[in-house]
Amino acid sequence: MRIPMHETLNEEEALLLKTARSVSKSFGRSYWLEKWEKKEPPDELWEEMRRQGLTGVGVPEKYGGSGFGLMGAVLTQEALALEGLPVLQFLVTHFSRHIVLSSGTEEQIRRFVTPTCTDGKRMSFALTEPEAGSNTWRISTLAKKENDGYVITGQKVFISGAKESDLMLLVARTKRYEEVGDKRYGISLFVLETSDPNIKMERLDIDMRGPEWQYAVYFDSVRVPAENLIGREGEGYKALFEGLNVERLLIASIAVGLGDFALSRAVDYAKSRKVFDVPIGSHQGLQFPMAKAAAHLEAARSVIYNAARLHDQSGRGLELANMAKLLGSEAGLEALDVAMQTFGGYAFELGTDLINLYPILRLFKTAPVTNELVMSYIGTHVLGLPKSY
Ligand SMILES: Cc1cc2nc3c(=O)[nH]c(=O)nc-3n(C[C@H](O)[C@H](O)[C@H](O)COP(=O)(O)OP(=O)(O)OC[C@H]3O[C@@H](n4cnc5c(N)ncnc54)[C@H](O)[C@@H]3O)c2cc1C
């Protein structure tokens, strides 16, 4: 299936997309499902990505990366999803290190970011807490200053790939919510080694039909040196929210890539399956929703690319990133729905491997931020409407 938006890529971007796609193609959807069944992380894929320089995409060459900026990360993420590989590990590692790149010192970048490019180290991201939910300001994991470092106590939930990662970007409070006048103040960012014995993890019973898992993470007086604090104490919110926008673009890239993966399978099937003596794809009752889904995927992709380019040029693009997340998550799910309709009853057979895509594509309406919160952002920041909360 052709993707017209790919014609807007320059030569270097097109080459990157091709390289990333040839890696994802060489593993393919069967690898992803096999790893899920065996409950093993996709280490071989990650190693091949490292060998091809893909783990370093989005990080400047001077830090051991492969360059390309956010647009490169978007294309890498999309190329993986286009072959049915929604690799959360790349997304989480990339936007977490993006926060270190934007607010960390040179030394911190070399300690924490460079190994994610050259040595295949992975980084997870720990923000969500059971009590706070979408209200980030209400997190209560506390980092208490002690001597020349911090002691961290608290709990996080839903942390993707926590156990499989080497490093974790932790969002904690250095001042409790009740102690600050301005709710934004007191949010601090730390990089932790996940091997710390005072960090305990529990795998959650969540099934995304892929070899990546979520964890509840418990911090019991975890000692962290001051050198692991990213940015200024208590003022981490700006870097955090900028990083979350990078995350929104990468999520949207997975959603459109996976949506195209589902739709292209439906297109192939609709050309060969004959009912009433003609290919079902010639019936406009199926053809039109497929065409509409393709157009919606391209519209979302167009906003993603524009947001990534704007970010690379000027550091801006926040509003577009939110719109891209909303559009991408809806377009991906719509494409899957149309693909399932095309396959008729066979869509419900596990072997057809369409229904397996539902949990992950549906997730994107809820995580990493719910579409309600995204619409609230657009409503208040773009349209200037009053806030409801
Ligand atoms: C598979 C998976 C992977 C995840 N990975 C990570 C990870 O790696 N790191 C991490 O930190 N977190 C992660 N998360 C957590 C995810 O970001 C949260 O689940 C998400 O932000 C929603 O928070 P919540 O579940 O607490 O929902 P809640 O905040 O309790 O929201 C429940 C519902 O209420 C609605 N709602 C709440 N407030 C408003 C409002 N003001 N206006 C309108 N509607 C509102 C929400 O939109 C939602 O529909 C993951 C979650 C899942 C399921």
Side-chain angles (χ1 to χ4, degrees):
M1 202 174 86
R2 274 192 334 104
I3 296 179
M5 273 304 293
H6 286 170
E7 288 162 29
T8 68
L9 301 178
N10 66 34
E11 222 172 286
E12 283 191 333
E13 291 166 345
L15 189 62
L16 171 66
L17 183 80
K18 197 172 162 201
T19 307
R21 218 165 159 187
S22 73
V23 169
S24 47
K25 226 181 214 143
S26 70
F27 284 86
R29 181 76 185 156
S30 56
Y31 167 80
W32 197 249
L33 292 174
E34 198 184 309
K35 284 287 179 181
W36 165 56
E37 269 168 23
K38 287 186 177 164
K39 295 191 167 46
E40 289 171 7
D43 290 344
E44 301 81 4
L45 171 67
W46 196 247
E47 172 54 17
E48 185 56 18
M49 285 178 67
R50 188 197 66 76
R51 274 186 0 94
Q52 300 284 343
L54 294 172
T55 50
V57 171
V59 174
E61 276 120 335
K62 67 174 174 174
Y63 298 126
S66 312
F68 285 110
L70 181 53
M71 183 64 187
V74 154
L75 290 174
T76 303
Q77 195 81 71
E78 185 193 329
L80 293 162
L82 281 169
E83 301 301 330
L85 310 176
V87 186
L88 296 179
Q89 193 168 277
F90 179 76
L91 168 139
V92 180
T93 296
H94 186 66
F95 90 86
S96 301
R97 72 187 175 190
H98 177 90
I99 292 175
V100 182
L101 274 170
S102 67
S103 298
T105 60
E106 283 283 313
E107 204 224 321
Q108 287 175 328
I109 295 173
R110 293 198 190 278
R111 271 178 67 209
F112 303 131
V113 175
T114 302
T116 63
C117 306
T118 52
D119 304 344
K121 298 268 184 210
R122 305 156 215 215
M123 209 184 283
S124 52
F125 174 76
L127 167 63
T128 306
E129 294 187 7
E131 296 304 320
S134 302
N135 188 355
T136 300
W137 311 120
R138 281 291 193 171
I139 60 168
S140 58
T141 293
L142 194 66
K144 232 174 137 188
K145 199 152 195 179
E146 223 178 84
N147 304 323
D148 53 352
Y150 295 84
V151 180
I152 297 172
T153 305
Q155 182 190 345
K156 298 285 175 182
V157 70
F158 293 130
I159 308 309
S160 295
K163 202 160 198 158
E164 290 70 44
S165 64
D166 309 278
L167 301 167
M168 174 183 285
L169 190 95
L170 174 78
V171 188
R173 274 203 163 272
T174 35
K175 271 214 183 318
R176 291 178 208 275
Y177 181 84
E178 298 75 21
E179 289 171 345
V180 292
D182 179 346
K183 65 185 180 183
R184 294 173 302 179
Y185 189 72
I187 298 282
S188 299
L189 308 170
F190 298 89
V191 175
L192 271 56
E193 304 270 350
T194 52
S195 56
D196 190 302
N198 290 342
I199 302 179
K200 299 272 184 283
M201 297 183 194
E202 185 189 334
R203 192 187 277 194
L204 300 175
D205 205 2
I206 290 177
D207 187 356
M208 286 289 134
R209 307 277 165 104
E212 297 184 299
W213 301 277
Q214 281 67 42
Y215 296 84
V217 185
Y218 305 91
F219 305 89
D220 182 10
S221 301
V222 177
R223 289 178 188 281
V224 196
E227 302 90 79
N228 289 31
L229 169 74
I230 306 297
R232 288 156 72 116
E233 182 188 301
E235 296 177 18
Y237 71 93
K238 259 197 191 148
L240 170 66
F241 280 92
E242 209 218 289
L244 292 179
N245 282 305
V246 169
E247 183 185 36
R248 279 164 212 191
L249 279 187
L250 295 180
I251 279 287
S253 309
I254 302 184
V256 297
L258 217 50
D260 263 306
F261 171 71
L263 190 59
S264 66
R265 293 200 40 219
V267 168
D268 289 345
Y269 185 74
K271 284 178 184 165
S272 61
R273 166 86 169 163
K274 286 190 177 164
V275 181
F276 297 106
D277 301 325
V278 291
I280 53 171
S282 64
H283 299 306
Q284 290 178 333
L286 267 192
Q287 195 184 99
F288 286 2
M290 288 165 99
K292 204 171 182 182
H296 287 165
L297 287 169
E298 286 301 80
R301 188 178 266 111
S302 167
V303 180
I304 296 169
Y305 289 2
N306 273 307
R309 290 202 163 104
L310 184 59
H311 183 279
D312 285 339
Q313 283 159 15
S314 64
R316 287 163 49 232
L318 246 114
E319 293 161 347
L320 284 181
N322 277 282
M323 290 178 171
K325 194 273 175 183
L326 177 67
L327 298 172
S329 59
E330 288 183 346
L333 205 52
E334 178 191 358
L336 175 63
D337 189 55
V338 173
M340 289 186 68
Q341 197 63 16
T342 306
F343 273 79
Y346 300 101
F348 297 87
E349 272 193 346
L350 281 181
T352 306
D353 186 33
L354 273 182
I355 207 151
N356 284 329
L357 298 174
Y358 183 76
I360 187 92
L361 275 168
R362 178 58 185 82
L363 171 73
F364 301 148
K365 281 177 77 173
T366 303
V369 57
T370 67
N371 280 2
E372 288 76 29
L373 271 276
V374 167
M375 286 187 277
S376 168
Y377 181 92
I378 297 168
T380 52
H381 287 79
V382 180
L383 305 181
L385 292 167
K387 208 168 178 175
S388 76
Y389 57 94

